[in-house]
Every structure is written in C-alpha cells, then in structure tokens.
Amino acid sequence: MLYRKWGSSGDEVVSFTSSIDSDKEIIEEVKLTMKAHVIELYLNKIISKEIAGKIISAINDFKEIPSGYEDVHEALEDYIIKKVGEEGGWIGLGRSRNDHVATALRLKAREELLSILDEIIKLREVLLNKAEQSLDVIFPAFTHLQPAQPTTFGHYLSYIEEELYSAWEIIFSNLKLVNRSPLGSGAIVGSTVNINREREAEMLGFDDIITNTISASSSRIDLISSVSGMVILSLILSRIAEDMVIFSSMKLVKLPDNQVSTSSLMPQKRNPVTMEIMRAKAGELIGFFTSLSSIYKGLPSGYDLDMQEMNKYYWYSFDYVKNSLSVMKSLFENIEVLPSALDNSMLATDEAESISLQGIPYRKAYFEVSSKVMKGTFTPSINFKESINLKKTEGSPNPEILKNDIKKAKDRIEENKMRLNEFKTKISNKISQLKAIENDLQEGL
C-alpha cells in the first residue's frame, strides 16, 4: 500500500475494493498516460531532464501489478518511487488517479474500437465478394418466417452488408467521442500546476480535450455509448445467426464444417453451435450494457469508486464482438447454398401485379390470385428467375440493379477505409512526438 497509511493490507477494504484484476487490461495505457504526465512536468520545467529520464525508465520497467495494492496506479507510483527514489514522488504533482484512469480507459477503448472497425470492414468485404458470386443464386425471402417472394443469395448478403455499414458509422462516431483527453483535469477541479492539457492530449494522439474538469475526470458516457455501439452490432449479428440456424435446418444452406458440431447420440447431426453461442453472447452484451447503465445512473457527479466496477464490462463487450465478427467472417467465406424447391405460390405477388398492370385495380387482381392459391389451382405465368429479373426497384435482387448496388457498397467501404486510415495515421503521428521526447530523455542514462 502507498496511499493508505493506517490498518493493514489484510483489511477488507483492500481486498473488497481492489481493481487489480480488471486493471491488468490497461497496464500499457496507464504507463503511456504516466509518460505524458512526466513529460509535461519536464516541459514545464518542474522536473529536470535527468529525473524525467529516470522516471520514464522506471515506467518502462513496470510489467505487472503485485498483490496488496488498490489499483494499477498505486502500484506504478510505488514502483517508480522504489526504483528512482524520493524524486519519483514528483509524479504526484498535478495528477490524480481520477484523470489518469479516465485517460487510460479512453486509450484502451480507442484501440479496441479501431480494431473492431477494421474487422467490420473485413466482414463486409467478404459479404460483397460472395454477393457478386451469388447474383443468380435463387433464394427464398421470408416475412413472418413464411416464404414470401423469391430473391437471390447475393441480395440477402447485400442486406447484411448494409446493416453492418450502419453499425460501422455508429461505432466510428463513438470513436470520435472517445478520442478526447481527460488528462490534466486532476481529481475534479484541475490543479494549481500549469498543466498544458492540449499538449498532453496531442502527445497521446487525442483529437481534443474534454474541457470541463468535472466531466473529464468523472464522465463515462462516451465509453457507455461505445458499448451501446457494440450492442447494436451484436443485435445485427444475432439476427443473422438466427437466420443461419433456421436456413441450415431448412436445408437451404450448408454451414462450414468448422462452424458445426454433432450429437453424442445422433451421428447424423450438424448442429449450428457457433450461431447458437453468438445469439447467447448478444444477450450477454445487452446484460453488460444494462449493468453499466444501472451502476452509472445513480452516481452523484464527480468520481465514485463504483465506476471501477464498470471497467470489466467494456472489455467483455469488445472481446465478445471481436470474436463474433471473426466467426461470422469465417462462416460466410465457406457457406454453401443448397439446391431447394421453392413453392410456386411465392410468385403470387408477381402474378397479381402483372394482372393489375393490364388495367385491373390491384386489389381485385390480388383477390383473384389469392382465391386460386387457396383452392390449389394457382399456376404462375413466370418462373423464379424471370420474377427476379423483372424487378425494377432500386435495391431489388434484379442482377443488373444488384451489381450496381454492390459497386456502390464497395465504394462506401473504400471511403470508410480511407477515413479509418487517416484517423490511425493522425494518432500515430501525434504519439511519435511523445516517443521522440521519451528517447531524448533516456539518452545517456
């Protein structure tokens, strides 16, 4: 223990409130945050180059959190003081665990969101490439889980990609909000030390600072919003997982061998277990979001230790989504559409429209065709392929229309890639400034 000078390390307050387990996820981000703080003290001429260099070296040597500490911040500071000596205690000036943990959480979330945005793009590319190969692969479309009208598998895949595009934009907007720096805001009202918060933000690759020090040190709303983005993405993936369970059971598709398991008793079974687990994980993600909301909603403004209990749910959410994206990408790379006989009644709408376009009000034509379907005397005048080719609506499965829609979607992906790469490059260029100062401070040590 460093801060608490009464009692013992065996007190309940130590074991019950320690965040060491979840802090393991942010060790590197905590170290990077501390480096920015030390460099700021040096640039402000508060500490010498030699002291700054020694502290930076100690930060680099810190690898794990020993037991007996409240959190990673206390463990790191104690390590620095033991390694550097009393001069290591300068790091406490103008700094609080409140603004440092808020910064580290945002740095970690930023990396996770960048990775997830990359993975969404990869899945979208797989879907569109498969859609191009499936422009003429006839496939049933359903409403109320009843056969509705004929479409193509390429049209179905294009639908999934567009849903994921919406999720990508939501998560990218979350990323922009997360990429703002709380560092330098102290415990709640800043400090008498003239900390240049904009310079600290620049060194850590942030786009801006969170201006108000109360918000900077104690808000978690941007992180909660990021988890809401994960929930939205998981809702999309869960619906598709449900489709795969149903479609494979209907023998419309064959799921890849690496996605199915079998029964301990029934040797013929190909159970869609990855999709079942994906549905379950979407439910868990909703639970994580509910936990975050339930903890956060009743907290008074300013930092409260309840917030540390929220941290694990951020990492669980990001991990669940990354795993689900990887599984879904693998599935669609290797899925097979099986030959299937569609019910001719799925052409009833085309027949009614054809009659109506000859001058008969649609409702009259509708009831005429409906009567034949109910009596079992309906015989369509066109086949499934003709039905699809006759579609004139933008966004429909007509192969010529769908080709153009896929091209637009691919252009959209390229634009998303460009924005993401520009974002990454900006971060990298800014952090390189910190690295250059760090290297200079360590020369000759």
Side-chain angles (χ1 to χ4, degrees), residues 16 124 143-144 157 189 191 208 254 272 332 433:
F16 191 68
R124 289 165 61 196
T143 63
H144 307 276
L157 296 174
V189 295
S191 169
D208 200 355
K254 180 183 179 183
F332 280 112
Q433 300 171 41

Side-chain angles (χ1 to χ4, degrees), residues 252-265:
L252 295 172
V253 300
K254 180 183 179 183
L255 302 184
D257 289 346
N258 65 349
Q259 300 277 336
V260 299
S261 188
T262 190
S263 162
S264 61
L265 178 66

Side-chain angles (χ1 to χ4, degrees), residues 311-330:
N311 297 347
K312 58 181 173 284
Y313 297 117
Y314 307 137
W315 320 137
Y316 292 164
S317 299
F318 297 143
D319 283 346
Y320 275 31
V321 162
K322 284 189 292 185
N323 290 335
S324 294
L325 287 168
S326 176
V327 167
M328 196 64 88
K329 176 174 171 286
S330 173

Side-chain angles (χ1 to χ4, degrees), residues 399-415:
E400 292 308 311
I401 293 173
L402 185 53
K403 271 185 200 174
N404 189 52
D405 291 343
I406 291 171
K407 181 182 179 306
K408 287 179 184 176
K410 286 193 167 188
D411 289 343
R412 211 164 46 211
I413 285 178
E414 291 306 310
E415 189 270 340

Side-chain angles (χ1 to χ4, degrees), residues 25-269:
E25 295 283 348
I26 56 171
I27 289 178
E28 292 307 313
E29 290 75 18
V30 167
K31 288 165 65 175
L32 186 61
T33 301
M34 184 65 84
K35 286 180 185 179
H37 176 62
V38 171
I39 290 170
E40 180 58 28
L41 292 178
Y42 162 68
L43 294 176
N44 254 327
K45 300 185 175 12
I46 293 170
I47 61 175
S48 68
K49 181 177 181 179
E50 181 184 2
I51 292 173
K54 287 179 180 179
I55 295 173
I56 294 288
S57 294
I59 293 170
N60 287 332
D61 291 340
F62 182 79
K63 304 299 182 188
E64 61 183 6
I65 313 168
S67 60
Y69 289 98
E70 289 181 36
D71 53 40
V72 63
H73 312 281
E74 182 185 37
L76 176 59
E77 182 170 354
D78 198 32
Y79 181 86
I80 291 169
I81 292 172
K82 286 174 179 175
K83 188 99 172 174
V84 177
E86 190 177 58
E87 291 173 328
W90 279 109
I91 65 169
L93 184 64
R95 161 213 171 236
S96 167
R97 286 183 289 183
N98 295 359
D99 65 324
H100 274 229
V101 70
T103 304
L105 292 172
R106 285 173 181 266
L107 289 172
K108 174 76 172 178
R110 182 175 72 189
E111 289 308 303
E112 295 288 355
L113 293 174
L114 286 169
S115 173
I116 287 164
L117 288 167
D118 268 331
E119 294 306 310
I120 295 172
I121 284 175
K122 289 175 186 176
L123 174 54
R124 289 165 61 196
E125 288 178 323
V126 166
L127 291 165
L128 291 180
N129 289 337
K130 183 75 78 171
E132 283 185 317
Q133 300 163 17
S134 309
L135 293 171
D136 297 309
V137 178
I138 294 170
F139 200 75
F142 297 86
T143 63
H144 307 276
L145 199 52
Q146 300 297 306
Q149 292 180 271
T151 185
T152 65
F153 195 58
H155 188 234
Y156 173 75
L157 296 174
S158 177
Y159 138 69
I160 302 173
E161 188 281 327
E162 191 155 7
E163 289 279 276
L164 292 173
Y165 162 66
S166 293
W168 194 95
E169 291 289 354
I170 290 166
I171 294 168
F172 190 77
S173 70
N174 294 149
L175 173 64
K176 290 191 290 185
L177 288 171
V178 163
N179 200 39
R180 298 180 299 149
S181 175
L183 193 58
S185 59
I188 190 166
V189 295
S191 169
T192 56
V193 181
N194 187 22
I195 297 289
N196 187 329
R197 295 188 61 208
E198 286 80 7
R199 183 163 60 194
E200 287 183 322
E202 182 80 9
M203 284 191 285
L204 292 172
F206 288 114
D207 286 332
D208 200 355
I209 65 168
I210 303 169
T211 305
N212 186 281
T213 57
I214 301 174
S215 180
S217 60
S218 66
S219 175
R220 296 293 185 269
I221 207 67
D222 293 337
L223 294 170
I224 295 171
S225 179
S226 295
V227 174
S228 77
M230 299 304 103
V231 171
I232 288 168
L233 177 56
S234 74
L235 296 179
I236 296 167
L237 296 176
S238 183
R239 288 191 78 192
I240 304 310
E242 173 72 359
D243 283 351
M244 293 302 108
V245 171
I246 293 168
F247 294 166
S248 62
S249 297
M250 289 180 172
K251 305 298 183 187
L252 295 172
V253 300
K254 180 183 179 183
L255 302 184
D257 289 346
N258 65 349
Q259 300 277 336
V260 299
S261 188
T262 190
S263 162
S264 61
L265 178 66
M266 300 169 281
Q268 84 282 7
K269 293 296 294 296

